[in-house]
Amino acid sequence: MIYVETGSTDVYYNFGVEYYLASEKKLDDTVFMLWRTTPTLMVGKYQNTLEEINRAYAEEHGLMPFVGSQFEWSLARMFCPEAPLDDLPFMDEETYAFHKKTGLTAFAYSSQGNGFYTKLNQLGEENISDRLKKHYLNDRNRAAYKRIKQLSAETG
């Protein structure tokens, strides 16, 4: 086991080290990492910061400012009835206006929709993977695809 203690309370540094060790560095052993931060609000990727965080309280108590929030913000909208995504916030007009007003960065969870439109265009509905069909093949995305094709034809 590899033991790592950063000795830092900088949330950005610690998350960076954690990400590097978990995703980039190829290690042959388990990593056990201990770290702490200055008072910080940590929000998971399926949490809706607009609804779940009291920003005034956080600012009043000197908690780290938010760097960004992550939403399902893709032209291709996911749909899966047996595993609904009710807890995954989508970028709607209200949320977009909030981010524009506050300057809070928005990170797209799946900006490319797993290549849905490209694969739909190349392979056709009948030949895309079952996984893509299950998550993305719906009337809304079919209408968006039709509009994409129309705009492409008009603009070259």
Side-chain angles (χ1 to χ4, degrees):
M1 177 177 294
I2 300 168
Y3 173 75
V4 176
E5 187 172 353
T6 69
S8 172
T9 59
D10 183 298
V11 67
Y12 304 106
Y13 176 80
N14 288 326
F15 269 124
V17 171
E18 181 182 284
Y19 174 81
Y20 175 75
L21 293 174
S23 303
E24 302 295 325
K25 183 76 173 162
K26 304 298 179 213
L27 299 168
D28 295 326
D29 205 350
T30 302
V31 175
F32 181 76
M33 182 176 165
L34 286 178
W35 58 275
R36 64 186 185 91
T37 68
T38 54
T40 303
L41 288 170
M42 294 185 194
V43 182
K45 74 177 179 181
Y46 295 116
Q47 289 178 278
N48 187 337
T49 54
L50 295 177
E51 293 180 10
E52 298 179 33
I53 301 297
N54 182 337
R55 187 173 175 134
Y57 176 89
E59 290 172 356
E60 181 181 321
H61 289 85
L63 299 175
M64 289 290 285
F66 298 104
V67 224
S69 57
Q70 188 175 46
F71 291 86
E72 177 68 29
W73 194 10
S74 171
L75 183 58
R77 292 291 289 269
M78 288 182 77
F79 172 76
C80 188
E82 65 278 358
L85 298 170
D86 296 338
D87 60 345
L88 180 61
F90 287 90
M91 180 64 84
D92 57 16
E93 291 300 318
E94 178 186 359
T95 305
Y96 180 78
F98 172 82
H99 280 77
K100 191 167 178 143
K101 177 182 156 199
T102 64
L104 183 65
T105 301
F107 299 97
Y109 170 68
S110 178
S111 63
Q112 301 303 313
N114 291 294
F116 172 73
Y117 291 114
T118 300
K119 291 171 185 164
L120 181 61
N121 190 55
Q122 292 172 344
L123 305 172
E125 273 190 35
E126 55 284 339
N127 294 315
I128 59 175
S129 72
D130 289 339
R131 185 173 116 354
L132 280 179
K133 285 179 187 175
K134 180 169 111 174
H135 288 98
Y136 293 100
L137 195 56
N138 56 58
D139 291 340
R140 184 218 174 266
N141 289 338
R142 282 185 182 105
Y145 176 69
K146 184 177 178 181
R147 180 70 176 134
I148 292 167
K149 295 290 283 183
Q150 178 186 3
L151 288 171
S152 178
E154 291 172 8
T155 61

